[in-house]
Amino acid sequence: MDKEEIKEYFEENEELQEKVTELADMIRKANYVVFYTGAGISTSAGIPDFRGPNGVWTCRDQGRKAPRSKKPWNLLEPTYCHMGIAKLIELGVAKYLVSQNVDGLHVHSGVPLDKVSELHGNTNKEFCIDCKKEYFRPFRCRTARHVHDHRTGRMCEECGGELHDSIINFNESLNEDQLNRAYEHSEKCDLAIVLGTSLRVTPAASLPVIPVKQKTGKLVICNLQKTPKDKYASMILHGKTDQIFKLLMKELEIEVKSFKEVIMEKAQQIENKKKEKKTNQKKKVTKKKVTKKVNEKENIEKKKPKKSSKSKSKKKPKKK
Ligand code: CNA
C-alpha cells in the first residue's frame, strides 16, 4: 500500500455524531442488518491489525519492528464494539455477522454460532478432519509451524481422527459452510455495516457490496483508512469503532454491558441458582420430615381403637 492508502482519517466529533444519528435512523428503518468486521475492531483490545499505519505488515514493509499483542491471546477481552454487536444481534436488531477476524472475540462476546461466519477461522476452534466435530478451547489451537500444516496434535474424542486448527491462511480454501452462510445473509441484507476492515481480502471484501450490486440495500463503512469499496458506500464514517458504537447505542437507547459485567452477572446467576437449589432441597427435606411425622401421627391415630357406636349405646348394667 502507498503512503496515501496507509493514512488514517479522524472526523471531528460533531461530524461523526451527525453521521451516527443518520446511521441509527437507517438501522431503525432496515429489515435485515448485517455487520462485516475486521482487525480494526480488535485493535482497542490490544491486537495489532495488518495494514494500519502501525499494523504488522506496514511496519514490516517499512523496516520497523512488527507490533505484538498487548496480552496473551487467551487473556484478551471483547471491546465495547464487540459487546454492542452481540447486543444488537441478541435483540434481533441485526440479523447476522460476518467477520474476517480469527481472534475469537465475537464468540467470547456472546454471539451465537449460528449468527456468525468467521470466514478466516477462530483461534480457539479446532475440528476433526474425519467426522468434522468442532472443539472450542480456552487457548490458541494453532501449534503447527508450517503455513499449510494445521495439525494440532490432538485427536477427536468421537472418532479418533486428527484435529486441525480452523485458521485459513492465504491461498487456502475457506470453510464452505461459513462462506455459504455469509453469502446467504448478504443476499438478504438491506443494510450492510462494515467495521474496521481495509476491505482488501477476497472474497470477504466482496460480501458487503452484494446488497448494493443487487440494488436491494445500502452499505455504510466505518473505518479509519479509505477502502477500495468506498465508492459503493452511502455513508463513510472515519472514526474508531468503539467511539462510533458508543454514540450509536446512545442514539438507539440500548444499554451495553462490558464483558466483565456480563461475566460477573453470569457468575452471580450461577451462584443464585446453586443457592436456590440448596434451599429447595432443604425445603424438600423438611417437607418430607413433616409428612413423615403427619403420617406417623395418622398411623398412631389409626391404631387407637375407636369407640364403637355399639359400645356407646351399650347400656350400663343396672344395679339391681
Ligand atoms: P487490515 O487490512 O489490517 O485492516 C484493518 C483496518 O482497520 C485498517 O484499515 C485500519 O485503518 C482500520 N482500523 C484500525 N483500528 C481501527 C479502529 N479502532 N476503528 C476503526 N478502524 C480501525 O485487516 P482486515 O481485517 O481488513 O484484513 C483481513 C485479514 C487480517 C484477515 O485475514 C485477518 O485474519 C487478519 N487479521 C486479523 C486480526 C484479528 O483477528 N484480530 C488481527 C490482524 C489481522
Side-chain angles (χ1 to χ4, degrees), residues 1 5-8 37-44 47-53 55-57 73 99-105 120 167-168 170 195-201 204 222-227 237-242 244:
M1 281 178 19
E5 288 170 327
I6 291 170
K7 198 172 163 191
E8 287 186 337
T37 65
I41 82 154
S42 295
T43 50
S44 64
I47 311 171
D49 60 13
F50 278 176
R51 296 176 184 84
V56 176
W57 289 354
W73 277 47
S99 185
Q100 297 175 66
N101 291 349
V102 295
D103 53 34
L105 293 183
H120 300 158
I167 302 301
I168 314 286
F170 281 101
L195 296 157
T197 155
S198 64
L199 291 174
R200 285 173 191 274
V201 180
C222 310
N223 196 53
L224 292 175
Q225 286 175 333
K226 291 179 179 173
T227 86
L237 290 82
H238 287 130
K240 293 196 173 184
T241 48
D242 286 339
I244 292 172

Side-chain angles (χ1 to χ4, degrees), residues 35-209:
F35 286 111
Y36 297 84
T37 65
I41 82 154
S42 295
T43 50
S44 64
I47 311 171
D49 60 13
F50 278 176
R51 296 176 184 84
N54 293 308
V56 176
W57 289 354
T58 310
C59 287
R60 215 184 283 158
D61 289 348
Q62 295 172 347
R64 290 191 283 146
K65 199 177 164 213
R68 302 187 63 163
S69 273
K70 291 211 176 103
K71 286 182 195 169
W73 277 47
N74 55 340
L75 296 182
L76 293 166
E77 287 175 11
T79 64
Y80 184 90
C81 185
H82 285 98
M83 299 309 289
I85 294 172
K87 190 75 197 173
L88 291 181
I89 288 178
E90 182 196 320
L91 296 173
V93 176
K95 301 290 187 254
Y96 203 70
L97 165 66
V98 179
S99 185
Q100 297 175 66
N101 291 349
V102 295
D103 53 34
L105 293 183
H106 283 304
V107 175
H108 286 228
S109 74
V111 176
L113 295 179
D114 63 342
K115 299 273 185 220
V116 57
S117 281
E118 292 177 305
L119 293 180
H120 300 158
N122 178 326
T123 189
N124 301 120
K125 185 169 90 180
E126 57 184 341
F127 66 97
C128 171
I129 51 159
D130 292 330
C131 74
K132 309 294 176 223
K133 185 179 160 73
E134 293 179 344
Y135 295 83
F136 282 86
R137 311 290 193 190
F139 48 80
R140 277 178 101 165
C141 294
R142 184 159 173 79
T143 49
R145 282 169 180 246
H146 298 287
V147 190
H148 300 305
D149 180 5
H150 289 281
R151 288 170 298 177
T152 62
R154 287 174 287 275
M155 297 296 175
C156 178
E157 287 161 19
E158 293 287 319
C159 73
E162 251 179 29
L163 295 187
H164 281 198
D165 68 63
S166 60
I167 302 301
I168 314 286
N169 291 320
F170 281 101
N171 297 323
E172 290 179 347
S173 307
L174 271 65
N175 176 293
E176 230 175 274
D177 172 53
Q178 302 280 334
L179 184 60
N180 286 344
R181 285 194 286 133
Y183 271 116
E184 205 180 288
H185 290 280
S186 301
E187 279 159 13
K188 288 185 197 166
C189 169
D190 63 357
L191 180 58
I193 304 176
V194 166
L195 296 157
T197 155
S198 64
L199 291 174
R200 285 173 191 274
V201 180
T202 51
S206 63
L207 292 163
V209 179

